[in-house]
Amino acid sequence: MPVRSTLARAAAGALLANAVPHGVAALIRRPFPTPFADPPGRGLSQPGTNLAWSATNAALGAALLRGYDGSTRERAALLASGVLSGAGLAVYFGRLDLDVPPAD
């Protein structure tokens, strides 16, 4: 059971990290890639789609943290996956041409 719990916390960290760029894009009303764009993950989605995707990621991440007991292993998994996912997202999105005007 500890391995399953640790993996759930790692997934939560990744989901919560992924919620951030999509939520920010929605708040500043900028198109941003989502899995629902054409092509998926590269094309741009409207702010409303990004808001929904961010909320879904945040809700799933929070659900995976339910019952979180805060063991050292779980804290490390949560932190490491959040940081590594954030770094990976920064590299991935940094390589895309996202210089677009804000949505009206």
Side-chain angles (χ1 to χ4, degrees):
M1 191 67 113
V3 172
R4 182 177 175 198
S5 179
T6 301
L7 290 175
R9 301 322 173 225
L15 287 164
L16 293 171
N18 191 44
V20 174
H22 297 285
V24 169
L27 290 174
I28 63 173
R29 296 179 32 108
R30 302 266 307 191
F32 196 72
T34 67
F36 312 107
D38 185 28
R42 289 183 134 345
L44 299 175
S45 293
Q46 293 303 311
T49 304
N50 275 286
L51 181 61
W53 186 238
S54 176
T56 300
N57 277 274
L60 291 172
L64 288 172
L65 289 177
R66 196 175 75 188
Y68 176 59
D69 69 5
S71 73
T72 302
R73 176 192 284 196
E74 290 179 349
R75 282 193 307 258
L78 179 65
L79 180 63
S81 69
V83 169
L84 291 173
S85 293
L89 290 168
V91 169
Y92 178 77
F93 290 130
R95 290 182 178 165
L96 298 179
D97 181 17
L98 300 177
D99 191 23
V100 295
D104 290 329

